[in-house]
Amino acid sequence: MLRKMSLEERAWQALVNGILLFTLLAVAIPLVRVITMSMTPIKAGREILGGLLIPVSELSLAAYRQLLSHPAFLRSLANSAIITLGGTAMSLFLTVPLAYVLSVKGLPGRKFLNTLILIPFLFNPGLIPGYLVVTGLGLTDSYWAVMLPGAVSVYNTFVMRGFFEGIPEDFKEAARMDGAGEFYILRRIILPLSKPILLTVGLFYAVSLWNEFFGPLLYLNNAKLQPLPVLLRNILLASNVNEYVDFDAMSAAPVQALKAASVVLTTLPMAIIYPWIQKHFTKGTLVGGIKG
Amino acid sequence: MAWQGRSDAALLTRPGRRGNLRRHWTLYLMLVCPLAYFLVFKYMPLVNAQIAFKDFSPLDGVWKSPWVGLANLVEFFHSIYFWELLRNTVGYSLAKLAVGLPLAVILALALSETAAKAFKGLVQTATYLPHFLSWVIMYGVLLALFSESEGLVNSIIRATGGTPRSFLGQPSDFPFIVVLSDAWKETGWSAIIYLAALAAIDPALYEAAEVEGATRLQRIRYISLPGIADVIVVVTLLRLGTVLDAGFHQLFMLSSMPVMGVADIIDTWVYRQGVLDFRFSLATAVGLFKGVIGLCMVLVFNRIAKRASGASLY
Amino acid sequence: MARTLSIKLLALLVAAGIGLPAFAQAKPADVNFWYNAAASEAGQPPDSWAAYQIIKDKLGVNLNLVQLPSTSSDQDTKINTAAAANALPDLFQVQRDVWYKLVKAGLIAPVDSLLKEMPFRTKLRYSDTVRNKLVTLNGKLYGFAEPGALAGTDGFVIRKDWLDKLGLKVPKTIEDFYAVAKAFTEKDPDGNGKNDTYGFGGYIEPLSMAQQGLGSRFDAIIGAYGVAATWDITSAAKFGLQVRKPEFYDAMLFMKRLSDEKLMDPDWASLKKDDFRARWKQGRFGMMTEGYAALAMQANYKDFDVNFPEGEWLAVPTPIGPKGKSSEGPFMRSARILAVSARAVKEGKGPAIAKLLEWMQSDEGYYLLGFGEKGVNFNLDDKGLVSVAGIEPAKAYTAKPQAPLLQLKNYVYTNSANELAVRYVSFKTAKGRTMDPLSYWEAFKANKWSEETGALVINPPANGSDFWRFYTENQVKFILGLQPLTKESWAAYLAGLDKLGAREFEAAAKKQVLEAGFIK
């Protein structure tokens, strides 16, 4: 990098960074807005730029205080963590072998298998058919009811399959010549080379489990099992459904601030893990790749 | 791709037929858990989906409920808004794909090309975050920007002597808000998959290109884009397979009476007609209808993609 | 050995036979109750809740509480899905639309016989003949019509401080209303030097079959033309949709005038409840229809108070139209329905449920569920009224940490005057003015209303999704000028409704309202 950049390189960097700067500014609007909203008491005429900014003296952490001090907050957080970590592990456990097998060229029945997993992706039978299966298995009031129905995403499987297909055959071939079995090849050769896609698909699973609200709503009757999104939704909507509220529905912060604060709180863990995942997205992860 | 010099068949036959057979059995063994999962959690619901053609009664259960044929679907086809719903749904779906896909690819390329490492990290995280803002929140943001009475854009219009405009309540403006706000929220998220694909490209290819004096643009054209072409094709095909999913949460949140004509999509219609009203058979029937259309799209475009780029879903 | 064993066995069998009723009682019956929490954000009652033990010891009932989600649509989904799997809980709260479908599907049991097993609660809560019509089907009661939801809670209010500032009087007629709206919009009533206020504010909220179209937030205006609420339910002869009346066209013209001249917040057609509420708290408009609790409970009022210490909302009679009509909107004695699943009755849980409900209304149950433990969470003063005198503040039943103990209070509260007074407490504003939420309610109730309880038994038409969209969308477009509003276009609109089956729908609705006994 210390080398002097060529003119072309400098122009290129200007273009690329210009695109990035524009994108950054564009996404900054909703992000800043949601943060200010989470700290804004309802006050008249003191917003700047249509509420994008507010004077520092006006900022209030009441919404965060209200959410974090909820007696069930920590328990819900723990439930969410269990569902997210356990669910992601299980999803990868099911998705990786599936994607790998589908990526093996020349495997008899491959086309049939591909079709078999594509069909449920296209045809969504809606709420009740799935609900009947989950309750029929007696999974009500267990985390399985939340983790299992979406455990394998066909989308993620196809994306992962595409990556596995891109790994040079020679790698596998060399191992096979040495008498390595398929489990060994998957574990020792394919997986180490597939870090970016494993992290990506893992992230996709984790995010959808972390935000999962509908499954818990339907399947978890026991309040002690409920994850964070359900708790936050209850807090938010309770302060919203205030037609008949009386003394005990006092909310310290405005509904908008609570809404925004809950979004900030749930996004925070995802914002923290992403830079760590990013690190593995740098060019040339396929270390020692060989040319064709 | 560059490394596929030898034919697959040649590779596979080398260890001999018996080795192959054993190898295949190991592979099938790996499928036991995933396939059992598919059977229970993906195919059992599809078996239950027969309620689409029944008058589902909880007391009788799925199997004993009386058949009604296509009555549920016919009800959907007979909606006075049917063609409008179809137009809106397909329109938004394709427009979001047409706008969102190039933006995500451009963002991914820009992120992988920039030399400013810290800046790259910041932009990458910042663009990924809006995905987590629910549409309720995004509606609040859009209202703050575009509302007629207090939106920022209209304040500027007013200050410069123009006439304020209800962007969110104007049928002519609304579709742009929908497509652009979707891109606004999801571009960074969609870019992740292309970033992962770019990361997997053999760096030796870039080095070779540099030695041969290829320009930046040429490197993108001949290395980066071909390197992620398969992913683009797969993602696009899958998106086309769900072409009748146009973003329920977004349109449910952003729609309002003045713009219903350009905001109502199949899913919002079904929600009003079916789910709230205990009409699960109808919702399932429409779900299957969407699947048939999706299947047709995949059949057609998979063939095209296979011919054009060699990549395919099955 | 064998002999003694068989004798012992015989003795045991005889004893068991004699003791069977007692034995059955000793084994607690499980009752699953899906309830609508009084404060859903507060969470379930703790495992150590005193009521659980009492219910088990005294009634032999093992109560298993499950809190329903906080929005009605989530509740509907949860109950509908459970119903689809024929797995409804024993006892649950349900909205009438869903209730109707579940009864039709044979999933809900009639409760007439249970009422006899709980005479006290029945006398206190389930003797209102009008309300009971809402849970009657084919002459049987399919559920308990809880008196919970109050009627006439939302009314027309106006900013008194703005009127005073501009030297205006409370508008009497609809033309006065127009003049005040114009002044509020154009004459800077808050004196901030900016042109940022509107006369009127509202949003579209189709909550029930009586609030379709623009919904009741605009009924103060529509009502001046005598066509408030969706249905005319004054008599069988007049029964029908209000839009058919020529006065409705006049009301539309007036609404269009307000919209054209930007005298109401121009975002009205796309606003949602939260934004609407944020806006009046920010002083965006000076007239609206709002609920007394949402307006005047301390938690809800405090933001407005901070922004406008001198501000004051006045409950006033709604404007009178050209023919002397006026209305606050639909007056509905809606019910919260507690239903017993057919499965629970089949499993013999009926008596246990009746026992539970009867106990809840007993003195012991009422205070425990409504106010917590005596001496710990509340005290009774010398007049027998609930008070928190002498109670540690954090333990008081009014304190937030105690809310989980009171989650079932809405199933025991009777809405007596004494009770309402302690529930909706008055407070002082920043400037020392006394705010009494109930006084707003009293003022609203004293105004003219359109009796509309009967609309609650109307079932949506088969093409409800299309019908109500067409119904509302076109009205909004007329008002916003997205399509011209003329006699011809209005007639075409009505013809369009007929094409969607309005006549058939009205006939079916009339039959339902007649059968339920709301009209003659």
Side-chain angles (χ1 to χ4, degrees), chain B:
Chain B
M1 275 179 198
W3 48 66
Q4 288 166 354
R6 284 161 292 191
S7 81
D8 296 341
L11 283 170
L12 283 170
T13 45
R14 201 174 306 153
R17 225 183 105 74
R18 258 183 63 196
N20 240 341
L21 210 64
R22 203 179 58 223
R23 199 161 70 79
H24 289 159
W25 276 113
T26 337
L27 288 169
Y28 290 136
L29 196 65
M30 282 186 191
L31 285 181
V32 170
C33 284
L35 286 190
Y37 170 84
F38 262 77
L39 213 59
V40 176
F41 287 96
K42 305 276 183 192
Y43 276 93
M44 287 289 284
L46 280 179
V47 171
N48 287 340
Q50 60 183 278
I51 62 170
F53 312 107
K54 288 183 159 182
D55 179 15
F56 176 60
S57 141
L59 283 181
D60 296 332
V62 169
W63 291 94
K64 286 184 186 152
S65 292
W67 292 97
V68 293
L70 294 175
N72 288 309
L73 267 183
V74 167
E75 188 183 328
F76 171 52
F77 295 150
H78 280 181
S79 163
I80 51 163
Y81 298 116
F82 175 76
W83 290 108
E84 186 193 284
L85 293 168
L86 204 60
R87 180 200 70 197
N88 290 346
T89 309
V90 174
Y92 283 129
S93 203
L94 294 182
K96 283 177 182 180
L97 182 64
V99 173
L101 181 82
L103 287 180
V105 171
I106 289 171
L107 177 63
L109 286 173
L111 282 169
S112 77
E113 285 293 321
T114 181
K117 286 277 176 292
F119 182 58
K120 172 190 170 174
L122 174 71
V123 176
Q124 198 173 341
T125 306
T127 51
Y128 145 98
L129 288 176
H131 172 75
F132 294 92
L133 307 182
S134 58
W135 278 108
V136 183
I137 293 287
M138 284 302 282
Y139 174 76
V141 174
L142 290 171
L143 208 59
L145 289 176
F146 296 116
S147 115
E148 184 173 349
S149 74
E150 57 177 37
L152 182 61
V153 173
N154 274 314
S155 312
I156 296 170
I157 291 178
R158 232 176 256 127
T160 53
T163 327
R165 191 176 171 83
S166 171
F167 295 99
L168 290 164
Q170 203 75 40
S172 55
D173 300 346
F174 186 80
F176 292 97
I177 302 249
V178 170
V179 174
L180 293 179
S181 66
D182 181 72
W184 197 16
K185 186 166 159 345
E186 301 297 337
T187 296
W189 177 257
S190 320
I192 295 179
I193 195 80
Y194 305 117
L195 280 167
L198 285 168
I201 293 177
D202 189 347
L205 292 174
Y206 289 105
E207 283 157 25
E210 199 161 8
V211 171
E212 284 171 27
T215 64
R216 288 281 156 184
L217 222 50
Q218 281 170 326
R219 273 184 256 176
I220 297 239
R221 169 76 184 77
Y222 294 106
I223 303 173
S224 302
L225 281 179
I228 60 172
D230 283 6
V231 183
I232 294 178
V233 169
V234 167
V235 167
T236 308
L237 284 174
L238 289 172
R239 190 66 198 83
L240 288 171
T242 52
V243 68
L244 294 189
D245 292 334
F248 170 77
H249 291 288
Q250 182 194 20
L251 285 151
F252 185 70
M253 220 32 234
L254 300 192
S255 69
S256 62
M257 278 302 157
V259 293
M260 265 325 232
V262 291
D264 212 7
I265 55 170
I266 293 176
D267 286 350
T268 49
W269 184 89
V270 169
Y271 178 78
R272 289 203 309 276
Q273 179 77 1
V275 180
L276 286 182
D277 207 14
F278 203 30
R279 303 280 307 280
F280 297 118
S281 292
L282 176 77
T284 303
V286 175
L288 296 184
F289 165 74
K290 286 163 64 181
V292 171
I293 303 293
L295 183 64
C296 296
M297 297 292 280
V298 167
L299 285 175
V300 171
F301 285 94
N302 195 59
R303 180 158 297 184
I304 295 173
K306 212 169 190 172
R307 214 165 280 163
S309 76
S312 82
L313 281 182
Y314 48 85

Side-chain angles (χ1 to χ4, degrees), chain A residues 70 221 224 233-234 240 259, chain C residues 41 47 70 74 78 274:
Chain A
H70 193 281
N221 293 326
K224 287 180 187 136
R233 194 168 158 110
N234 274 340
N240 194 5
K259 262 186 202 167
Chain C
E41 79 275 30
D47 292 341
S70 13
D74 289 351
K78 185 157 172 101
D274 286 355

